[in-house]
Amino acid sequence: MVQQSIHGSERFRWMVRDFIAPQHRAGSRQLGNLIAQGIWPDVNEISVTDILVAAARMPFVLSQEIREIYGVEPTEAEWVERHADAIISLFFEHHVEPDAATPEGP
């Protein structure tokens, strides 16, 4: 999939049209809901999509690196579940406090 995204092809265009684009549209609606609820800040939709896709995909793209550095198998079911839980926790189960990012002045 990563190679298809880089180089493109007729098959890739089919995947985008029939699967990827509809999922992105659904994600865009969900992002709007998360922003409205104050769970996420008002950020660029394309950036959010790319960040989420990268967070989900990269451990598998870089699986050999993870094996070498951490000595774990990123394709084991338990590891995959923990990775998915981490993404959900980081991106969807917290509330952004507008003042929390502002450091306290003297």
PDB file of all heavy atoms in Angstrom, residues 51-68:
ATOM      1  N   ILE A  51      -1.413  12.214   9.836  1.00  0.00           N
ATOM      2  CA  ILE A  51      -0.836  11.846  11.131  1.00  0.00           C
ATOM      3  C   ILE A  51      -1.430  10.538  11.634  1.00  0.00           C
ATOM      4  O   ILE A  51      -0.710   9.647  12.102  1.00  0.00           O
ATOM      5  CB  ILE A  51      -1.036  12.994  12.143  1.00  0.00           C
ATOM      6  CG1 ILE A  51      -0.158  14.189  11.763  1.00  0.00           C
ATOM      7  CG2 ILE A  51      -0.754  12.527  13.566  1.00  0.00           C
ATOM      8  CD1 ILE A  51      -0.526  15.482  12.461  1.00  0.00           C
ATOM      9  N   LEU A  52      -2.747  10.398  11.542  1.00  0.00           N
ATOM     10  CA  LEU A  52      -3.392   9.166  11.996  1.00  0.00           C
ATOM     11  C   LEU A  52      -2.988   7.962  11.150  1.00  0.00           C
ATOM     12  O   LEU A  52      -2.711   6.883  11.681  1.00  0.00           O
ATOM     13  CB  LEU A  52      -4.913   9.326  11.988  1.00  0.00           C
ATOM     14  CG  LEU A  52      -5.482  10.157  13.113  1.00  0.00           C
ATOM     15  CD1 LEU A  52      -6.951  10.454  12.866  1.00  0.00           C
ATOM     16  CD2 LEU A  52      -5.302   9.440  14.432  1.00  0.00           C
ATOM     17  N   VAL A  53      -2.958   8.146   9.847  1.00  0.00           N
ATOM     18  CA  VAL A  53      -2.557   7.056   8.962  1.00  0.00           C
ATOM     19  C   VAL A  53      -1.120   6.643   9.261  1.00  0.00           C
ATOM     20  O   VAL A  53      -0.804   5.456   9.362  1.00  0.00           O
ATOM     21  CB  VAL A  53      -2.740   7.441   7.480  1.00  0.00           C
ATOM     22  CG1 VAL A  53      -2.077   6.440   6.559  1.00  0.00           C
ATOM     23  CG2 VAL A  53      -4.221   7.566   7.150  1.00  0.00           C
ATOM     24  N   ALA A  54      -0.245   7.628   9.424  1.00  0.00           N
ATOM     25  CA  ALA A  54       1.161   7.314   9.731  1.00  0.00           C
ATOM     26  C   ALA A  54       1.285   6.615  11.076  1.00  0.00           C
ATOM     27  O   ALA A  54       2.031   5.632  11.205  1.00  0.00           O
ATOM     28  CB  ALA A  54       1.998   8.589   9.707  1.00  0.00           C
ATOM     29  N   ALA A  55       0.565   7.094  12.074  1.00  0.00           N
ATOM     30  CA  ALA A  55       0.637   6.474  13.398  1.00  0.00           C
ATOM     31  C   ALA A  55       0.192   5.012  13.340  1.00  0.00           C
ATOM     32  O   ALA A  55       0.787   4.151  13.984  1.00  0.00           O
ATOM     33  CB  ALA A  55      -0.231   7.250  14.391  1.00  0.00           C
ATOM     34  N   ALA A  56      -0.815   4.744  12.554  1.00  0.00           N
ATOM     35  CA  ALA A  56      -1.322   3.381  12.450  1.00  0.00           C
ATOM     36  C   ALA A  56      -0.415   2.491  11.611  1.00  0.00           C
ATOM     37  O   ALA A  56      -0.210   1.315  11.913  1.00  0.00           O
ATOM     38  CB  ALA A  56      -2.725   3.392  11.853  1.00  0.00           C
ATOM     39  N   ARG A  57       0.176   3.041  10.582  1.00  0.00           N
ATOM     40  CA  ARG A  57       0.892   2.251   9.585  1.00  0.00           C
ATOM     41  C   ARG A  57       2.381   2.049   9.865  1.00  0.00           C
ATOM     42  O   ARG A  57       2.935   0.994   9.564  1.00  0.00           O
ATOM     43  CB  ARG A  57       0.715   2.960   8.243  1.00  0.00           C
ATOM     44  CG  ARG A  57       1.269   2.226   7.068  1.00  0.00           C
ATOM     45  CD  ARG A  57       1.116   3.023   5.812  1.00  0.00           C
ATOM     46  NE  ARG A  57      -0.274   3.121   5.399  1.00  0.00           N
ATOM     47  CZ  ARG A  57      -0.701   3.845   4.399  1.00  0.00           C
ATOM     48  NH1 ARG A  57       0.145   4.571   3.693  1.00  0.00           N
ATOM     49  NH2 ARG A  57      -1.965   3.883   4.077  1.00  0.00           N
ATOM     50  N   MET A  58       3.034   3.051  10.398  1.00  0.00           N
ATOM     51  CA  MET A  58       4.493   3.029  10.456  1.00  0.00           C
ATOM     52  C   MET A  58       5.115   1.870  11.234  1.00  0.00           C
ATOM     53  O   MET A  58       6.152   1.353  10.829  1.00  0.00           O
ATOM     54  CB  MET A  58       5.040   4.363  10.962  1.00  0.00           C
ATOM     55  CG  MET A  58       4.876   5.481   9.942  1.00  0.00           C
ATOM     56  SD  MET A  58       5.398   5.058   8.249  1.00  0.00           S
ATOM     57  CE  MET A  58       7.158   4.959   8.470  1.00  0.00           C
ATOM     58  N   PRO A  59       4.541   1.405  12.341  1.00  0.00           N
ATOM     59  CA  PRO A  59       5.182   0.258  13.003  1.00  0.00           C
ATOM     60  C   PRO A  59       5.274  -0.976  12.116  1.00  0.00           C
ATOM     61  O   PRO A  59       6.168  -1.789  12.282  1.00  0.00           O
ATOM     62  CB  PRO A  59       4.272  -0.003  14.202  1.00  0.00           C
ATOM     63  CG  PRO A  59       3.652   1.316  14.480  1.00  0.00           C
ATOM     64  CD  PRO A  59       3.436   1.940  13.123  1.00  0.00           C
ATOM     65  N   PHE A  60       4.389  -1.076  11.160  1.00  0.00           N
ATOM     66  CA  PHE A  60       4.406  -2.236  10.275  1.00  0.00           C
ATOM     67  C   PHE A  60       5.332  -2.004   9.092  1.00  0.00           C
ATOM     68  O   PHE A  60       5.994  -2.913   8.612  1.00  0.00           O
ATOM     69  CB  PHE A  60       2.978  -2.582   9.852  1.00  0.00           C
ATOM     70  CG  PHE A  60       2.093  -2.702  11.066  1.00  0.00           C
ATOM     71  CD1 PHE A  60       1.213  -1.691  11.407  1.00  0.00           C
ATOM     72  CD2 PHE A  60       2.205  -3.795  11.906  1.00  0.00           C
ATOM     73  CE1 PHE A  60       0.442  -1.773  12.549  1.00  0.00           C
ATOM     74  CE2 PHE A  60       1.439  -3.891  13.056  1.00  0.00           C
ATOM     75  CZ  PHE A  60       0.559  -2.876  13.382  1.00  0.00           C
ATOM     76  N   VAL A  61       5.412  -0.754   8.646  1.00  0.00           N
ATOM     77  CA  VAL A  61       6.368  -0.401   7.599  1.00  0.00           C
ATOM     78  C   VAL A  61       7.791  -0.533   8.136  1.00  0.00           C
ATOM     79  O   VAL A  61       8.690  -0.992   7.442  1.00  0.00           O
ATOM     80  CB  VAL A  61       6.105   1.037   7.087  1.00  0.00           C
ATOM     81  CG1 VAL A  61       7.185   1.496   6.128  1.00  0.00           C
ATOM     82  CG2 VAL A  61       4.730   1.116   6.423  1.00  0.00           C
ATOM     83  N   LEU A  62       7.984  -0.137   9.376  1.00  0.00           N
ATOM     84  CA  LEU A  62       9.310  -0.173  10.011  1.00  0.00           C
ATOM     85  C   LEU A  62       9.450  -1.356  10.964  1.00  0.00           C
ATOM     86  O   LEU A  62      10.196  -1.289  11.935  1.00  0.00           O
ATOM     87  CB  LEU A  62       9.541   1.133  10.778  1.00  0.00           C
ATOM     88  CG  LEU A  62       9.464   2.413   9.963  1.00  0.00           C
ATOM     89  CD1 LEU A  62       9.601   3.628  10.856  1.00  0.00           C
ATOM     90  CD2 LEU A  62      10.530   2.418   8.873  1.00  0.00           C
ATOM     91  N   SER A  63       8.764  -2.435  10.670  1.00  0.00           N
ATOM     92  CA  SER A  63       8.738  -3.565  11.604  1.00  0.00           C
ATOM     93  C   SER A  63      10.121  -4.129  11.903  1.00  0.00           C
ATOM     94  O   SER A  63      10.406  -4.485  13.052  1.00  0.00           O
ATOM     95  CB  SER A  63       7.811  -4.672  11.088  1.00  0.00           C
ATOM     96  OG  SER A  63       8.249  -5.140   9.826  1.00  0.00           O
ATOM     97  N   GLN A  64      10.986  -4.184  10.922  1.00  0.00           N
ATOM     98  CA  GLN A  64      12.324  -4.706  11.180  1.00  0.00           C
ATOM     99  C   GLN A  64      13.087  -3.801  12.141  1.00  0.00           C
ATOM    100  O   GLN A  64      13.806  -4.269  13.025  1.00  0.00           O
ATOM    101  CB  GLN A  64      13.113  -4.891   9.873  1.00  0.00           C
ATOM    102  CG  GLN A  64      14.399  -5.659  10.055  1.00  0.00           C
ATOM    103  CD  GLN A  64      14.180  -7.042  10.670  1.00  0.00           C
ATOM    104  OE1 GLN A  64      13.238  -7.768  10.331  1.00  0.00           O
ATOM    105  NE2 GLN A  64      15.031  -7.418  11.606  1.00  0.00           N
ATOM    106  N   GLU A  65      12.928  -2.506  11.986  1.00  0.00           N
ATOM    107  CA  GLU A  65      13.569  -1.556  12.897  1.00  0.00           C
ATOM    108  C   GLU A  65      13.070  -1.762  14.325  1.00  0.00           C
ATOM    109  O   GLU A  65      13.852  -1.763  15.282  1.00  0.00           O
ATOM    110  CB  GLU A  65      13.276  -0.133  12.433  1.00  0.00           C
ATOM    111  CG  GLU A  65      13.941   0.938  13.247  1.00  0.00           C
ATOM    112  CD  GLU A  65      13.683   2.316  12.681  1.00  0.00           C
ATOM    113  OE1 GLU A  65      13.887   2.527  11.467  1.00  0.00           O
ATOM    114  OE2 GLU A  65      13.274   3.188  13.468  1.00  0.00           O
ATOM    115  N   ILE A  66      11.777  -1.958  14.491  1.00  0.00           N
ATOM    116  CA  ILE A  66      11.202  -2.181  15.820  1.00  0.00           C
ATOM    117  C   ILE A  66      11.743  -3.474  16.417  1.00  0.00           C
ATOM    118  O   ILE A  66      12.087  -3.530  17.598  1.00  0.00           O
ATOM    119  CB  ILE A  66       9.664  -2.179  15.746  1.00  0.00           C
ATOM    120  CG1 ILE A  66       9.190  -0.755  15.470  1.00  0.00           C
ATOM    121  CG2 ILE A  66       9.037  -2.730  17.024  1.00  0.00           C
ATOM    122  CD1 ILE A  66       7.716  -0.623  15.208  1.00  0.00           C
ATOM    123  N   ARG A  67      11.844  -4.511  15.595  1.00  0.00           N
ATOM    124  CA  ARG A  67      12.401  -5.776  16.089  1.00  0.00           C
ATOM    125  C   ARG A  67      13.830  -5.585  16.586  1.00  0.00           C
ATOM    126  O   ARG A  67      14.203  -6.080  17.652  1.00  0.00           O
ATOM    127  CB  ARG A  67      12.384  -6.825  14.977  1.00  0.00           C
ATOM    128  CG  ARG A  67      11.039  -7.364  14.650  1.00  0.00           C
ATOM    129  CD  ARG A  67      11.114  -8.433  13.547  1.00  0.00           C
ATOM    130  NE  ARG A  67       9.809  -8.629  12.969  1.00  0.00           N
ATOM    131  CZ  ARG A  67       9.413  -8.157  11.790  1.00  0.00           C
ATOM    132  NH1 ARG A  67      10.238  -7.473  11.018  1.00  0.00           N
ATOM    133  NH2 ARG A  67       8.193  -8.378  11.355  1.00  0.00           N
ATOM    134  N   GLU A  68      14.644  -4.897  15.797  1.00  0.00           N
ATOM    135  CA  GLU A  68      16.061  -4.715  16.138  1.00  0.00           C
ATOM    136  C   GLU A  68      16.239  -3.840  17.377  1.00  0.00           C
ATOM    137  O   GLU A  68      17.057  -4.146  18.232  1.00  0.00           O
ATOM    138  CB  GLU A  68      16.812  -4.087  14.957  1.00  0.00           C
ATOM    139  CG  GLU A  68      16.930  -4.983  13.745  1.00  0.00           C
ATOM    140  CD  GLU A  68      17.856  -6.170  13.963  1.00  0.00           C
ATOM    141  OE1 GLU A  68      18.844  -6.041  14.723  1.00  0.00           O
ATOM    142  OE2 GLU A  68      17.582  -7.233  13.368  1.00  0.00           O
TER     143      GLU A  68
END
